[in-house]
Amino acid sequence: MKKVTSIICLVFVAVMLFSLPVSAAKPYQTYTYSINGFALSSPDAYTPLMTVDSDYMGLKDAISDPKDLEVDADNNVYIADAKNNRIVVLDRYYKLKFTIETFVNEYGIDDELTNPAGVFVTDDMIYVCDTDANRIVTFDKEGNYDHIIPQPESTLFDDDAVYKPVAVAVDQYGRIFVVSSTTYEGIIVMTSDGQLTGFIGAQAVSLSAWQILWRRFQTAEQRELSTTNVSTEFNNITITEDGFIYVTTSSIADKNVSSFLKTKAGDSRKNQSKYSPVKMLNAAGEEIMRRNGFWAPAGEINTSRYSQAQDQSGPSRVTDVAVGPEQTWSIIDSKRCKIFTYDFDGNLLFAFGDKGQQLGSLQSITAITYQGDSMLVLDSQAKCFTVYQRTEYGDILIEALENQNNRKYDMAVENWTEILKRNSNFDTAYIGIGQAMYRNGEYEEAMEYYKAAYDTSNYSDAYKEVRKEWISKFVYLIPIIIFVIVFAWSKFMKYANKVNKRAATAGGSRSFKEELLYAFHIIKHPFDGFWDVKHEKRGSLRAAVVYLVITVLAFYYQSIGQGYVMNPMGSYSSIFGQAISVLLPFLLFAIANWCLTTLFDGEGSLKDIIIAISYSMVPLILTVIPSTIISNFVTSSEADLCNLLVTFGFIWTGLLIFLGMMVTHDYSLFKGVLTTLGTVVGMAFIMFIGILFTTLLGKIVSFISNIIIEINYRL
C-alpha cells in the first residue's frame, strides 16, 4: 500500500512539474526594435488578466459585431454593439449597467440606433455614431436621450456626398470632430450645436508617374472628376486632454507606407509624414506628431518575417489609436492583432500581441482603450474584450515618464536605471537618462548615454553645450589655427605654382616631385593641363598610381575617422574593401572608355586615360579628408555641410574626368558627351559579361568537383 501511495505521489509531482511551463507560457513576446530593424525581446509591460464576454457582462443577448470601445473618467466601459443596434454600458468591474437601444426623440417619436459604429464619452455626455442613420445621437451619462446632431448641411459638401459617421471625438471646448467613412475631404469639424465649420487634416493624394503625365493632357473638368485626385479617408479618431487629435487610416497604399517606414531617426520625415497611417493634429489640422524614434511610429517594422499566405505580409493595418498615461499612445495592427505603444516623442516603448485563441491572443482586433493601469482590447470575432494588466516593469516605465514630464530628473534617472536592469536593450531608457543629465548640466555624461542609444539628435544638443564651453576656453586659439591652415595652404599653392612654371620652361625629363605637383595646375586649368600631360609629358603613370593610392587611403580614413554624428553605428570598411570600391569603377571606366574610343578615332592610349583619371581624383582627396576631420566637430544639423563638401568634390572630379577624356582624345564637346554616355553603357556591359563568366566558371568548377566526388565514391 505504501509503495502504491509513493508511486501516485511521484506521478502527481511529475504531472505538476511538467504542467508548469505550459501554464506559465506566454501567448506572445513583448519586444521593441533596434536601430538596425531587429526585434529585441523586452519584459512584458502588460499581461492578459481576463477575457470579458457577454456572459460575464450579464447580457441576455450576446454582443455581435462590436465596433468600438470607450472608457469614461469613472472607468465605466462603453461598447458599440453594431449588429444589435445598441450601446452596452458596463461598470468598472465589467458588469452591465444599462444599454442604449431605443429612445424618444425631440418630436416625441420612438426612435432607435441603427448599426452604431463609434462611441465617445465626455464628463457629462455620451456621443454615439449612429452610422446607418447618418447622424450622431447624444445621451447623458444615465443613458437618457439628449439630442440628435444630423448630417451637416453646407456647400462644402458635394451634392451627392454620403455621410457615414464611424468615429467621433469632442474636445474641452465642445468642438466635435467626426470621421465619416465616405468623406474624403478630411475630418469633419462641427460646433457643439452641430454647425459645420470645415474640414481638417485631409490625407495626401499619391499619384503614379503615369497618372501625373496623363493629368497634363486632361481638361480641368476631367481632372476634377478623376478618382485619382481623391484623398484617402480616415478610419478612427481620439483626442487628448489638451485637445490634440490622433487619427488613423488604413487606406494609404502599402508601397507609400513602406517608404515611410524606411525613414530612420535623423532622416527628413517632413515630406514623408503624409503617408503615415497615424497622425497627430492640432485643432487647426496641422500635423505636429514627433517622430524622433529609430523608426517612424507606424506599427510593424520588419514585415518580411511574416507569411504572405496568412495575409500578414506588408505594413501594419492601423485601425484604432488610444491615448495612455503620461502622453503615451497606442495603435492596433488589425492585420497581425498586435499593439504598439509609443511615447510623446515617437519612441517605441513596447509591442505585443498575436493571433490565436489563448488568453491574451486575439482573433480580430477592432478597438483599444485605457482603463487606469489596464488596457482593454476589443475582439470583434470572439465578441469580447481582453483586459491586460500593467506589470511592475510597465509601472516603472510610466513612473519614469511621469518624473521626466514633471522635471524630477533625479528620480527619472533612478527609474530608467531600474528599467535597464530588467531590459538592457531598451534604448529609450538610455535616452531618458541622457535627457535627465542634460537638464542637470552634465553634458558629457549625457553624450555617453545618447551614444548608447544611437540618438544623434539629442547627442548633438549636448555636444553643442560642450563645444560652446570648449570655444569659450580657447576662443583666441581658433582664429590662430584657421589662419595657420589658410597661410600654409596659400604657401603650398604658391610653391606648387612656382615649381610648375619652372618645369614648363625647363624642358627635358620631369622629376617625380614636378609630376606630382602638376596635379594642382590641372585642377585649376584642366584644358591646357590635360593637353600638357599627354603631349608635354608633364604627368606620369607613377604619379597617377600615387594619387590613386592616396584616394583609396582617403576613403579608408573616411570610413574609420568619421565623427559619431556622421557614423553613429561605428561601421567601417577594411582598406581592401575601399580599394575595391575605388579601383573597380576606375578600371571599368578606363577599359570601357579605351575600348569605345579606339572605335571612334580617339587619340588617347589606355595609359593616357589612366593618368588623366588619376589626376582628376585630386579634388576628392582635397574634400574627403577635410570633411572627415570636420565631421568630428559638427552636430546633426551641420552634418549636411560635410556631405555638401564631399558632393562638391565628386562633381569637381567628374567634371575633370569628362574634360580630361575630351582633351586626351581630342574630341568636340558633343562627341565627348556621347562617348561618356557610351562609356557608362560599356561599363554595364563589361560587368554583365564578368558576372556571366564567373557564374559559368563556378558552375563548371562545381560540375567537375561533383564528378570527382562521384568517382571517388564509386571507387
Side-chain angles (χ1 to χ4, degrees):
M1 184 66 181
K2 290 182 178 180
K3 185 180 288 186
V4 173
T5 304
S6 300
I7 292 172
I8 292 173
C9 289
L10 286 173
V11 171
F12 177 76
V13 171
V15 170
M16 291 297 294
L17 288 174
F18 279 109
S19 65
L20 278 176
V22 176
S23 61
K26 295 183 296 183
Y28 52 77
Q29 175 62 58
T30 303
Y31 60 95
T32 58
Y33 270 106
S34 70
I35 194 171
N36 294 318
F38 297 116
L40 302 175
S41 297
S42 167
D44 291 331
Y46 283 85
T47 56
L49 179 64
M50 61 186 298
T51 298
V52 180
D53 56 13
S54 300
D55 291 335
Y56 187 92
M57 299 175 197
L59 286 168
K60 293 182 180 179
D61 299 323
I63 61 175
S64 180
D65 192 25
K67 292 288 183 64
D68 198 11
L69 188 68
E70 186 71 17
V71 172
D72 65 13
D74 298 321
N75 287 330
N76 297 313
V77 182
Y78 301 77
I79 303 174
D81 187 7
K83 197 167 185 179
N84 288 321
N85 303 317
R86 65 183 178 180
I87 301 296
V88 177
V89 183
L90 312 175
D91 63 20
R92 66 174 61 197
Y93 306 108
Y94 318 123
K95 296 299 183 181
L96 179 66
K97 289 184 68 175
F98 58 86
T99 61
I100 302 174
E101 301 179 60
T102 60
F103 55 93
V104 178
N105 61 32
E106 59 263 39
Y107 303 107
I109 301 173
D110 290 337
D111 209 336
E112 62 182 3
L113 299 177
T114 310
N115 191 30
V119 59
F120 186 84
V121 186
T122 63
D123 291 337
D124 53 359
M125 297 290 290
I126 303 171
Y127 293 79
V128 179
C129 292
D130 197 8
T131 305
D132 283 0
N134 314 110
R135 62 187 180 178
I136 293 173
V137 186
T138 64
F139 304 86
D140 65 20
K141 294 297 285 291
E142 302 301 322
N144 301 309
Y145 169 77
D146 188 79
H147 70 285
I148 291 175
I149 303 175
Q151 176 176 345
E153 296 181 0
S154 173
T155 55
L156 296 175
F157 271 103
D158 295 333
D159 295 336
D160 57 348
V162 179
Y163 178 62
K164 289 283 185 180
V166 294
V168 62
V170 182
D171 68 7
Q172 66 269 39
Y173 305 109
R175 286 176 297 195
I176 303 170
F177 302 88
V178 181
V179 171
S180 171
S181 63
T182 54
T183 301
Y184 303 97
E185 291 86 354
I187 300 166
I188 301 168
V189 185
M190 295 186 287
T191 60
S192 57
D193 57 357
Q195 296 297 315
L196 179 69
T197 61
F199 301 91
I200 62 171
Q203 288 283 65
V205 179
S206 57
L207 301 177
S208 66
W210 166 250
Q211 290 169 338
I212 293 173
L213 179 63
W214 177 242
R215 282 174 59 81
R216 293 181 180 274
F217 299 97
Q218 290 180 318
T219 64
E221 292 77 10
Q222 288 174 324
R223 284 196 295 270
E224 187 175 346
L225 294 173
S226 175
T227 58
T228 59
N229 197 32
V230 176
S231 174
T232 53
E233 72 278 5
F234 295 110
N235 57 25
N236 229 314
I237 188 172
T238 193
I239 197 165
T240 68
E241 293 180 353
D242 300 327
F244 296 120
I245 305 161
Y246 284 98
V247 287
T248 61
T249 180
S250 56
S251 58
I252 299 176
D254 282 358
K255 63 177 182 179
N256 291 329
V257 179
S258 298
S259 175
F260 173 70
L261 284 172
K262 291 177 182 178
T263 57
K264 294 185 179 182
D267 295 342
S268 174
R269 291 185 179 137
K270 185 175 181 180
N271 296 327
Q272 288 286 343
S273 64
K274 61 184 179 180
Y275 297 125
S276 174
V278 57
K279 298 180 180 180
M280 182 181 181
L281 312 175
N282 59 19
E286 298 170 343
E287 224 280 339
I288 58 172
M289 178 178 285
R290 296 183 184 177
R291 297 181 175 89
N292 299 330
F294 292 153
W295 301 91
E300 198 63 70
I301 301 301
N302 188 6
T303 58
S304 60
R305 60 194 180 106
Y306 293 95
S307 170
Q308 189 168 2
Q310 297 177 352
D311 192 28
Q312 293 190 9
S313 63
S316 296
R317 186 182 299 119
V318 180
T319 53
D320 196 12
V321 58
V323 177
E326 296 304 321
Q327 298 180 312
T328 61
W329 51 280
S330 302
I331 56 175
I332 58 174
D333 177 6
S334 62
K335 186 182 291 185
R336 304 177 183 90
C337 289
K338 289 184 179 292
I339 298 133
F340 298 84
T341 299
Y342 304 87
D343 67 8
F344 189 72
D345 287 324
N347 297 298
L348 178 62
L349 300 178
F350 51 84
F352 68 92
D354 203 355
K355 284 192 173 184
Q357 298 184 356
Q358 189 178 351
L359 175 63
S361 297
L362 303 161
Q363 298 177 41
S364 179
I365 190 168
T366 305
I368 182 174
T369 191
Y370 281 88
Q371 185 193 42
D373 59 358
S374 297
M375 183 186 291
L376 310 185
V377 181
L378 186 63
D379 189 334
S380 61
Q381 186 172 332
K383 302 175 183 178
C384 63
F385 64 86
T386 301
V387 181
Y388 295 87
Q389 186 70 36
R390 200 166 67 210
T391 63
E392 181 186 9
Y393 174 80
D395 290 338
I396 299 173
L397 181 58
I398 295 301
E399 186 178 350
L401 293 172
E402 180 183 6
N403 287 326
Q404 189 168 288
N405 293 334
N406 294 329
R407 301 182 180 180
K408 299 177 181 178
Y409 302 124
D410 292 337
M411 297 177 66
V413 169
E414 294 179 7
N415 297 138
W416 291 123
T417 304
E418 193 64 32
I419 287 173
L420 288 175
K421 292 178 182 179
R422 292 166 166 78
N423 183 10
S424 60
N425 292 324
F426 192 49
D427 295 301
T428 304
Y430 292 105
I431 296 172
I433 296 174
Q435 288 175 334
M437 289 184 168
Y438 175 83
R439 292 181 176 110
N440 284 335
E442 303 172 19
Y443 302 120
E444 292 186 4
E445 293 82 357
M447 286 167 59
E448 293 301 319
Y449 279 97
Y450 290 142
K451 263 189 176 183
Y454 308 106
D455 187 350
T456 56
S457 178
N458 283 315
Y459 176 91
S460 296
D461 292 337
Y463 176 68
K464 280 181 183 178
E465 301 300 326
V466 174
R467 188 176 64 179
K468 189 187 302 180
E469 184 179 350
W470 187 89
I471 291 174
S472 65
K473 289 181 179 179
F474 303 99
V475 63
Y476 299 109
L477 185 62
I478 295 173
I480 294 174
I481 294 174
I482 295 173
F483 174 78
V484 169
I485 293 173
V486 173
F487 180 77
W489 176 252
S490 176
K491 283 292 184 182
F492 172 77
M493 289 303 296
K494 286 182 180 179
Y495 174 73
N497 291 335
K498 182 179 178 181
V499 171
N500 288 326
K501 287 180 180 179
R502 186 175 63 244
T505 58
S509 60
R510 315 295 180 184
S511 67
F512 184 51
K513 180 180 70 173
E514 292 172 340
E515 293 168 350
L516 286 174
L517 292 178
Y518 191 65
F520 296 94
H521 175 76
I522 290 177
I523 62 176
K524 295 189 297 180
H525 309 283
F527 286 101
D528 62 328
F530 285 115
W531 177 269
D532 289 344
V533 165
K534 179 184 176 184
H535 296 90
E536 301 294 333
K537 307 301 180 185
R538 297 289 300 275
S540 67
L541 189 60
R542 59 182 180 176
V545 171
V546 169
Y547 282 122
L548 195 57
V549 171
I550 295 175
T551 303
V552 173
L553 294 176
F555 279 103
Y556 177 64
Y557 172 62
Q558 184 189 51
S559 173
I560 64 175
Q562 277 189 323
Y564 170 76
V565 171
M566 300 288 291
N567 185 19
M569 296 294 295
S571 58
Y572 65 93
S573 177
S574 66
I575 192 167
F576 177 76
Q578 291 296 337
I580 293 296
S581 65
V582 173
L583 294 177
L584 183 61
F586 174 87
L587 293 175
L588 279 174
F589 186 90
I591 294 171
N593 187 267
W594 176 70
C595 292
L596 184 67
T597 54
T598 52
L599 300 176
F600 293 95
D601 302 323
E603 296 182 2
S605 64
L606 182 60
K607 178 183 175 182
D608 295 331
I609 295 171
I610 290 175
I611 293 174
I613 298 174
S614 299
Y615 274 68
S616 299
M617 288 187 172
V618 172
L620 275 179
I621 300 171
L622 297 178
T623 53
V624 168
I625 294 176
S627 70
T628 304
I629 296 173
I630 295 171
S631 70
N632 290 275
F633 303 98
V634 298
T635 62
S636 57
S637 60
E638 301 161 350
D640 289 339
L641 295 175
C642 296
N643 295 328
L644 180 64
L645 184 59
V646 175
T647 302
F648 175 71
F650 272 105
I651 294 173
W652 193 358
T653 293
L655 183 61
L656 287 176
I657 290 174
F658 171 74
L659 296 176
M661 295 302 98
M662 193 172 70
V663 173
T664 299
H665 298 297
D666 196 18
Y667 282 162
S668 64
L669 178 63
F670 178 72
K671 197 170 184 180
V673 171
L674 288 181
T675 53
T676 300
L677 295 176
T679 300
V680 174
V681 175
M683 291 171 66
F685 181 74
I686 292 172
M687 289 179 63
F688 172 75
I689 296 298
I691 294 171
L692 182 63
F693 176 75
T694 53
T695 303
L696 291 175
L697 185 62
K699 290 185 178 295
I700 292 171
V701 171
S702 176
F703 176 72
I704 294 173
S705 61
N706 288 336
I707 291 176
I708 294 173
I709 293 172
E710 184 68 22
I711 292 173
N712 290 334
Y713 178 77
R714 296 295 182 182
L715 293 177

